[in-house]
Amino acid sequence: MNMNIAYKYYGQKPVYLNITNRCTNKCSFCIRYTEIGVDGVDLWLEHEPSTEEIKQALEDIDFRNSEEIVFCGYGEPTMRWDIIPEICRFIRENNPDAKIRINTNGHGNKIAGHDITPSLEGLVDEISISLNEKNAQKYNEICTCQYGEEGFYELLDFAAKAKKHIKSVVLSIVDVLPPEDIEECRKIAEKIGIPLRVRKMIK
Ligand code: SF4
């Protein structure tokens, strides 16, 4: 256990922010259940970092020279929806050119109990939402969502709301799905006017 709050991996340029280990899902493919971290970086946190600890971690990794900062994992970043705007403002003030992205399961509004997407306007450049599957039943089968099948509809609603406030909103799936299921996912994304990104599975 340690406190790798800001990290880089596989020689990639972005700085990733690990601000919680909690999540509303228990996805069967989640690397939290099989790995200690990514690329040798232990992502299990001793405690949830304060805003001051997150800012210090950003300073320690020289974020002022980074092109992109990504709220990612272990865990679902929007579990900490209440501190994300403050961290984004800190990044904007000190590195105005950096792109800010959130990788999320799309449950942020359900977690907060209200629509959080307006609070991200002007602060977040891109939100990438994991769609994972072509329907609610399959989604819940692989994600074991604490909201059950509702978690699937919740993420679609989050995506539609986010689109009103954020420049770039994408739905994502991994390339392990059968081609016909990928096509179904594409239709779902098209229906709400959001692009679908097919990602490579991280092994
Ligand atoms: S939503 Fe992400 S962090 Fe949560 S269990 Fe699934 S893969 Fe893991």
Coordinates of all heavy atoms in Angstrom, one line a residue, residues 70-130:
V70 N -5.4 13.1 -16.7 CA -6.6 12.2 -16.8 C -7.0 11.6 -15.5 O -6.2 11.0 -14.8 CB -6.3 10.9 -17.7 CG1 -7.5 10.1 -18.0 CG2 -5.6 11.4 -19.1
F71 N -8.3 11.9 -15.1 CA -8.8 11.3 -13.9 C -9.2 9.9 -14.3 O -10.0 9.6 -15.2 CB -10.1 12.0 -13.4 CG -9.8 13.4 -12.9 CD1 -9.7 14.5 -13.7 CD2 -9.7 13.6 -11.5 CE1 -9.5 15.7 -13.2 CE2 -9.5 14.8 -10.9 CZ -9.4 15.9 -11.8
C72 N -8.5 8.9 -13.6 CA -8.7 7.5 -14.1 C -9.0 6.6 -12.9 O -9.9 6.7 -12.2 CB -7.4 7.2 -14.8 SG -7.5 5.7 -15.8
G73 N -8.2 5.6 -12.6 CA -8.4 4.7 -11.6 C -7.1 4.3 -10.9 O -6.1 5.0 -11.2
Y74 N -7.2 3.3 -10.2 CA -8.1 2.3 -9.7 C -9.3 3.0 -9.0 O -9.2 3.9 -8.2 CB -7.4 1.6 -8.6 CG -6.5 0.4 -9.0 CD1 -6.3 0.1 -10.3 CD2 -6.0 -0.4 -8.0 CE1 -5.5 -0.9 -10.7 CE2 -5.2 -1.5 -8.4 CZ -5.0 -1.7 -9.7 OH -4.2 -2.8 -10.1
G75 N -10.5 2.5 -9.4 CA -11.7 3.1 -8.8 C -12.4 4.1 -9.7 O -11.8 4.4 -10.8
E76 N -13.5 4.5 -9.3 CA -14.3 5.4 -10.2 C -14.1 6.9 -9.7 O -14.5 7.2 -8.6 CB -15.8 5.0 -10.0 CG -16.8 6.0 -10.6 CD -16.5 6.5 -12.0 OE1 -16.0 5.7 -12.8 OE2 -16.7 7.7 -12.2
P77 N -13.5 7.7 -10.6 CA -13.2 9.1 -10.1 C -14.4 9.9 -9.6 O -14.2 10.7 -8.7 CB -12.6 9.7 -11.4 CG -12.2 8.6 -12.3 CD -13.1 7.4 -11.9
T78 N -15.6 9.7 -10.2 CA -16.7 10.5 -9.8 C -17.3 10.1 -8.4 O -18.2 10.7 -7.9 CB -17.8 10.5 -10.8 OG1 -18.3 9.2 -11.0 CG2 -17.4 11.1 -12.1
M79 N -16.7 9.1 -7.8 CA -17.0 8.8 -6.4 C -16.6 10.1 -5.6 O -17.1 10.4 -4.5 CB -16.2 7.7 -5.8 CG -16.5 6.3 -6.4 SD -18.2 5.6 -6.2 CE -18.4 5.4 -4.5
R80 N -15.6 10.9 -6.2 CA -15.1 12.1 -5.5 C -15.6 13.3 -6.3 O -14.9 14.3 -6.5 CB -13.6 12.1 -5.4 CG -13.1 10.8 -4.8 CD -12.5 10.8 -3.5 NE -12.3 11.9 -2.7 CZ -11.1 12.3 -2.2 NH1 -10.0 11.7 -2.5 NH2 -11.1 13.4 -1.4
W81 N -16.8 13.3 -6.8 CA -17.4 14.3 -7.7 C -17.2 15.7 -7.0 O -17.1 16.7 -7.7 CB -18.9 14.1 -8.0 CG -19.7 14.0 -6.7 CD1 -20.0 12.9 -6.0 CD2 -20.4 15.0 -6.1 NE1 -20.7 13.2 -4.9 CE2 -21.0 14.5 -5.0 CE3 -20.5 16.4 -6.3 CZ2 -21.8 15.3 -4.1 CZ3 -21.3 17.2 -5.5 CH2 -21.9 16.6 -4.3
D82 N -17.3 15.8 -5.7 CA -17.3 17.1 -5.0 C -15.9 17.8 -5.1 O -15.9 19.0 -4.9 CB -17.8 16.9 -3.6 CG -17.0 15.8 -2.8 OD1 -16.5 14.9 -3.5 OD2 -16.9 15.9 -1.6
I83 N -14.8 17.0 -5.3 CA -13.5 17.7 -5.3 C -13.0 17.8 -6.7 O -12.0 18.6 -6.9 CB -12.5 17.0 -4.4 CG1 -12.2 15.5 -5.0 CG2 -12.9 16.9 -3.0 CD1 -10.8 15.0 -4.6
I84 N -13.6 17.2 -7.7 CA -13.0 17.2 -9.1 C -13.0 18.7 -9.6 O -11.9 19.1 -10.1 CB -13.8 16.3 -10.0 CG1 -13.5 14.8 -9.6 CG2 -13.5 16.5 -11.5 CD1 -14.2 13.7 -10.4
P85 N -14.0 19.5 -9.4 CA -13.9 20.9 -10.0 C -12.7 21.6 -9.4 O -12.0 22.3 -10.1 CB -15.3 21.5 -9.6 CG -16.2 20.3 -9.5 CD -15.4 19.2 -8.9
E86 N -12.5 21.5 -8.1 CA -11.4 22.2 -7.5 C -10.0 21.8 -8.0 O -9.2 22.6 -8.3 CB -11.4 22.0 -5.9 CG -10.2 22.7 -5.3 CD -10.2 22.5 -3.8 OE1 -11.2 22.1 -3.1 OE2 -9.1 22.7 -3.2
I87 N -9.9 20.5 -8.2 CA -8.6 20.0 -8.8 C -8.5 20.5 -10.3 O -7.4 20.9 -10.7 CB -8.6 18.4 -8.8 CG1 -8.7 17.9 -7.3 CG2 -7.3 17.9 -9.4 CD1 -7.6 18.4 -6.4
C88 N -9.6 20.5 -11.0 CA -9.5 20.9 -12.4 C -9.1 22.4 -12.4 O -8.3 22.8 -13.3 CB -10.8 20.8 -13.1 SG -11.3 19.1 -13.4
R89 N -9.7 23.2 -11.5 CA -9.4 24.6 -11.5 C -7.9 24.8 -11.2 O -7.2 25.7 -11.8 CB -10.2 25.4 -10.5 CG -11.5 25.9 -11.1 CD -12.3 26.8 -10.1 NE -12.8 26.1 -9.0 CZ -14.0 25.5 -8.9 NH1 -14.8 25.5 -10.0 NH2 -14.3 24.8 -7.9
F90 N -7.3 24.0 -10.3 CA -5.9 24.1 -9.9 C -5.1 23.8 -11.2 O -4.1 24.5 -11.5 CB -5.6 23.1 -8.8 CG -4.2 23.0 -8.5 CD1 -3.5 24.0 -7.7 CD2 -3.4 21.9 -8.8 CE1 -2.2 23.9 -7.4 CE2 -2.1 21.8 -8.5 CZ -1.5 22.8 -7.8
I91 N -5.5 22.8 -11.9 CA -4.7 22.4 -13.1 C -4.8 23.5 -14.2 O -3.8 24.0 -14.7 CB -5.3 21.1 -13.8 CG1 -5.0 19.9 -12.8 CG2 -4.6 20.8 -15.1 CD1 -5.8 18.6 -13.1
R92 N -6.0 24.1 -14.4 CA -6.2 25.2 -15.3 C -5.4 26.4 -15.0 O -4.8 27.0 -15.9 CB -7.7 25.6 -15.4 CG -8.6 24.6 -16.1 CD -8.7 25.0 -17.6 NE -9.7 24.2 -18.3 CZ -9.4 23.1 -19.0 NH1 -8.1 22.8 -19.2 NH2 -10.3 22.4 -19.6
E93 N -5.3 26.7 -13.7 CA -4.6 27.9 -13.3 C -3.1 27.8 -13.5 O -2.4 28.7 -13.8 CB -4.8 28.2 -11.8 CG -6.2 28.9 -11.5 CD -6.6 28.7 -10.1 OE1 -5.8 28.4 -9.2 OE2 -7.8 28.9 -9.8
N94 N -2.6 26.5 -13.4 CA -1.2 26.3 -13.4 C -0.6 25.7 -14.7 O 0.6 25.7 -15.0 CB -0.7 25.4 -12.2 CG -1.0 26.2 -10.9 OD1 -0.2 27.1 -10.6 ND2 -2.0 25.8 -10.2
N95 N -1.6 25.2 -15.5 CA -1.2 24.6 -16.8 C -2.4 24.8 -17.8 O -3.1 23.8 -18.1 CB -0.8 23.1 -16.7 CG -0.3 22.5 -18.0 OD1 -0.4 23.2 -19.0 ND2 0.2 21.3 -17.9
P96 N -2.6 26.0 -18.2 CA -3.8 26.3 -19.0 C -3.9 25.5 -20.3 O -5.1 25.4 -20.8 CB -3.7 27.8 -19.3 CG -2.6 28.3 -18.5 CD -1.8 27.2 -18.0
D97 N -2.8 25.1 -20.8 CA -2.9 24.4 -22.1 C -3.2 22.9 -22.0 O -3.4 22.2 -23.0 CB -1.5 24.6 -22.9 CG -1.3 26.0 -23.2 OD1 -2.3 26.7 -23.4 OD2 -0.1 26.4 -23.3
A98 N -3.1 22.4 -20.8 CA -3.3 20.9 -20.6 C -4.7 20.5 -20.9 O -5.7 21.2 -20.5 CB -2.9 20.5 -19.2
K99 N -4.9 19.4 -21.6 CA -6.2 18.8 -21.8 C -6.6 18.0 -20.5 O -5.7 17.3 -20.0 CB -6.2 17.9 -23.0 CG -7.4 17.2 -23.3 CD -7.3 16.3 -24.5 CE -8.5 15.4 -24.7 NZ -8.3 14.5 -25.9
I100 N -7.8 18.2 -20.1 CA -8.3 17.4 -18.9 C -9.4 16.5 -19.3 O -10.4 16.8 -19.9 CB -8.8 18.4 -17.8 CG1 -7.7 19.4 -17.4 CG2 -9.3 17.6 -16.6 CD1 -8.2 20.4 -16.3
R101 N -9.2 15.2 -18.9 CA -10.1 14.1 -19.3 C -10.5 13.4 -18.1 O -9.7 13.2 -17.1 CB -9.4 13.2 -20.3 CG -10.2 11.9 -20.6 CD -9.7 11.3 -21.9 NE -8.3 11.1 -22.0 CZ -7.7 9.8 -21.9 NH1 -8.5 8.8 -21.8 NH2 -6.4 9.7 -22.1
I102 N -11.8 12.9 -18.1 CA -12.2 12.0 -17.0 C -12.6 10.6 -17.7 O -13.4 10.6 -18.6 CB -13.4 12.5 -16.3 CG1 -13.1 13.9 -15.6 CG2 -13.9 11.5 -15.2 CD1 -14.3 14.5 -14.8
N103 N -12.0 9.6 -17.2 CA -12.4 8.2 -17.6 C -13.4 7.7 -16.5 O -13.0 7.6 -15.3 CB -11.2 7.3 -17.7 CG -10.3 7.6 -18.8 OD1 -10.7 8.4 -19.7 ND2 -9.2 7.0 -18.9
T104 N -14.6 7.4 -16.9 CA -15.6 7.2 -15.9 C -16.6 6.0 -16.3 O -16.7 5.7 -17.5 CB -16.5 8.4 -15.6 OG1 -17.5 8.2 -14.7 CG2 -17.1 9.0 -16.9
N105 N -17.2 5.5 -15.3 CA -18.3 4.5 -15.6 C -19.6 5.2 -15.8 O -20.6 4.5 -16.1 CB -18.4 3.4 -14.5 CG -18.8 3.9 -13.2 OD1 -19.3 5.0 -13.1 ND2 -18.7 3.1 -12.1
G106 N -19.7 6.5 -15.7 CA -20.9 7.2 -16.0 C -22.0 7.2 -14.9 O -23.1 7.6 -15.1
H107 N -21.6 6.8 -13.7 CA -22.5 6.8 -12.6 C -22.5 8.0 -11.7 O -23.1 8.1 -10.6 CB -22.3 5.5 -11.7 CG -22.5 4.3 -12.5 ND1 -22.1 3.0 -12.0 CD2 -23.2 4.0 -13.6 CE1 -22.5 2.1 -12.9 NE2 -23.1 2.7 -13.9
G108 N -21.7 9.0 -12.1 CA -21.5 10.2 -11.3 C -22.8 10.9 -10.8 O -22.8 11.3 -9.6
N109 N -23.8 11.0 -11.7 CA -25.0 11.7 -11.2 C -25.7 10.9 -10.2 O -26.4 11.5 -9.3 CB -25.9 12.0 -12.4 CG -25.3 13.0 -13.4 OD1 -24.3 13.7 -13.0 ND2 -25.8 13.2 -14.6
K110 N -25.7 9.6 -10.4 CA -26.4 8.7 -9.4 C -25.7 8.8 -8.1 O -26.3 8.8 -7.0 CB -26.4 7.3 -10.0 CG -27.1 6.3 -9.2 CD -28.6 6.4 -9.4 CE -29.3 5.2 -8.6 NZ -30.7 5.5 -8.6
I111 N -24.3 8.8 -8.1 CA -23.5 8.8 -6.9 C -23.8 10.1 -6.1 O -24.0 10.1 -4.9 CB -22.0 8.7 -7.2 CG1 -21.7 7.3 -7.8 CG2 -21.1 9.0 -6.0 CD1 -20.3 7.3 -8.6
A112 N -23.8 11.2 -6.9 CA -24.0 12.5 -6.2 C -25.4 12.8 -5.8 O -25.7 13.6 -5.0 CB -23.5 13.6 -7.2
G113 N -26.4 12.2 -6.5 CA -27.8 12.4 -6.3 C -28.3 13.6 -7.0 O -29.4 14.1 -6.8
H114 N -27.5 14.2 -7.9 CA -27.9 15.3 -8.8 C -27.0 15.3 -10.0 O -26.0 14.6 -10.1 CB -27.9 16.6 -8.0 CG -26.5 17.1 -7.7 ND1 -25.9 16.7 -6.5 CD2 -25.6 17.8 -8.3 CE1 -24.7 17.2 -6.4 NE2 -24.5 17.9 -7.5
D115 N -27.4 16.2 -11.0 CA -26.6 16.3 -12.2 C -25.3 17.0 -12.0 O -25.3 18.3 -11.7 CB -27.5 17.0 -13.3 CG -26.8 17.1 -14.6 OD1 -25.6 16.5 -14.8 OD2 -27.3 17.7 -15.5
I116 N -24.2 16.4 -12.0 CA -22.9 17.0 -11.8 C -22.3 17.6 -13.0 O -21.3 18.3 -13.0 CB -21.9 16.1 -11.1 CG1 -21.5 14.9 -12.1 CG2 -22.3 15.6 -9.8 CD1 -20.3 14.1 -11.6
T117 N -22.9 17.3 -14.2 CA -22.2 17.7 -15.4 C -22.0 19.2 -15.6 O -21.0 19.6 -16.1 CB -22.8 17.0 -16.7 OG1 -24.2 17.4 -16.8 CG2 -22.8 15.5 -16.6
P118 N -23.0 20.0 -15.1 CA -22.8 21.5 -15.3 C -21.6 22.0 -14.5 O -20.9 22.9 -14.9 CB -24.1 22.1 -14.7 CG -25.1 21.0 -14.8 CD -24.4 19.8 -14.6
S119 N -21.2 21.3 -13.4 CA -20.1 21.7 -12.6 C -18.8 21.4 -13.3 O -17.7 21.9 -12.8 CB -20.1 21.1 -11.2 OG -19.8 19.7 -11.3
L120 N -18.8 20.7 -14.4 CA -17.6 20.3 -15.1 C -17.3 21.2 -16.3 O -16.3 21.1 -16.9 CB -17.6 18.8 -15.5 CG -17.8 17.8 -14.3 CD1 -18.0 16.4 -14.8 CD2 -16.7 17.9 -13.3
E121 N -18.4 22.0 -16.6 CA -18.3 22.8 -17.9 C -17.1 23.8 -17.8 O -16.9 24.5 -16.7 CB -19.6 23.6 -18.1 CG -19.6 24.3 -19.4 CD -21.0 24.8 -19.7 OE1 -22.0 24.2 -19.4 OE2 -21.1 25.9 -20.4
G122 N -16.3 23.9 -18.8 CA -15.2 24.8 -18.9 C -14.0 24.3 -18.1 O -12.9 24.9 -18.1
L123 N -14.2 23.2 -17.4 CA -13.1 22.6 -16.6 C -12.5 21.3 -17.2 O -11.4 21.0 -17.2 CB -13.5 22.3 -15.2 CG -13.9 23.6 -14.4 CD1 -14.4 23.1 -13.0 CD2 -12.7 24.5 -14.2
V124 N -13.5 20.5 -17.8 CA -13.1 19.2 -18.4 C -13.2 19.3 -19.9 O -14.3 19.8 -20.4 CB -14.0 18.1 -17.8 CG1 -13.7 16.8 -18.4 CG2 -13.8 18.0 -16.2
D125 N -12.2 18.8 -20.6 CA -12.3 18.8 -22.1 C -12.9 17.6 -22.6 O -13.5 17.7 -23.7 CB -10.8 19.0 -22.6 CG -10.2 20.2 -22.2 OD1 -10.7 21.3 -22.6 OD2 -9.2 20.2 -21.4
E126 N -12.7 16.5 -22.0 CA -13.2 15.2 -22.5 C -13.7 14.3 -21.4 O -13.1 14.2 -20.4 CB -12.2 14.5 -23.4 CG -12.8 13.2 -24.0 CD -11.8 12.6 -25.1 OE1 -11.6 13.3 -26.1 OE2 -11.3 11.5 -24.8
I127 N -14.8 13.6 -21.6 CA -15.3 12.6 -20.7 C -15.4 11.3 -21.5 O -16.1 11.3 -22.6 CB -16.6 12.9 -20.1 CG1 -16.5 14.2 -19.2 CG2 -17.1 11.8 -19.2 CD1 -17.7 14.5 -18.3
S128 N -14.7 10.3 -21.1 CA -14.8 9.0 -21.7 C -15.6 8.0 -20.8 O -15.2 7.8 -19.7 CB -13.4 8.5 -22.0 OG -13.5 7.2 -22.6
I129 N -16.7 7.6 -21.3 CA -17.6 6.8 -20.5 C -17.6 5.3 -20.9 O -17.9 5.0 -22.1 CB -19.1 7.3 -20.6 CG1 -19.1 8.8 -20.2 CG2 -20.0 6.5 -19.7 CD1 -20.3 9.6 -20.6
S130 N -17.4 4.4 -20.0 CA -17.3 3.0 -20.4 C -18.8 2.4 -20.6 O -19.5 2.3 -19.7 CB -16.7 2.2 -19.3 OG -15.4 2.6 -19.1

